[in-house]
Amino acid sequence: RFLKNRGMKVHEKLPELSDVLARSSLIVSQGGAGLSNAALLVGRPHIVYPNHAESSITAAKLVDLKLGINIEGKPGESVPDAVEEILNDPDYISNAQAEAIKIAGSGQFSDGLARVTERVFELID
């Protein structure tokens, strides 16, 4: 209620991730595998504040590929700075979009239900 009374949009129920990603220019998270992969699939650059070893590895790879920025260990002002950097450097956005196209073209995610169903039937036989 505190935030709502001050005019902020507050979700009583979590919005669908696909809807949020579609409306977002970039993603800010702790760098978990699920959200990081979802961001890549839709071509969004990522600001990561890793909080464990796995997300540190993810952050390092995103930085290496210029798909994101790691703000671990930086002062609180680093989030606005990272947002500015990503939005003002077209390489982050074009790299993320190119990665999404590459992933889509790989066929790894095409007709996943059919592939899983086919494999289940193979295992049953």
Side-chain angles (χ1 to χ4, degrees):
R1 280 186 244 148
F2 176 81
L3 295 173
K4 215 176 206 180
N5 289 340
R6 282 154 183 77
M8 296 188 79
K9 183 175 185 175
V10 177
H11 295 278
E12 310 251 335
K13 182 180 144 195
L14 286 176
E16 289 293 322
L17 181 59
S18 58
D19 294 338
V20 173
L21 290 172
R23 292 190 322 261
S24 301
S25 298
L26 59 89
I27 306 303
V28 180
S29 81
Q30 49 80 338
L35 184 54
S36 295
N37 283 310
L40 286 175
L41 289 170
V42 296
R44 300 299 186 268
H46 207 137
I47 298 171
V48 183
Y49 189 91
N51 60 357
H52 52 78
E54 177 193 344
S55 58
S56 292
I57 293 167
T58 300
K61 192 63 174 175
L62 291 169
V63 169
D64 286 346
L65 297 172
K66 200 168 182 183
L67 296 167
I69 297 173
N70 181 352
I71 59 171
E72 181 179 27
K74 296 180 182 173
E77 289 302 309
S78 63
V79 173
D81 294 341
V83 169
E84 285 276 330
E85 183 177 340
I86 286 177
L87 295 180
N88 290 322
D89 184 340
D91 287 347
Y92 285 104
I93 295 168
S94 63
N95 290 350
Q97 291 171 346
E99 191 67 23
I101 291 167
K102 186 169 101 178
I103 292 168
S106 72
Q108 292 178 343
F109 298 95
S110 61
D111 205 10
L113 180 59
R115 290 174 44 198
V116 169
T117 304
E118 182 180 304
R119 182 67 180 135
V120 167
F121 283 119
E122 286 174 8
L123 293 171
I124 291 172
D125 286 340

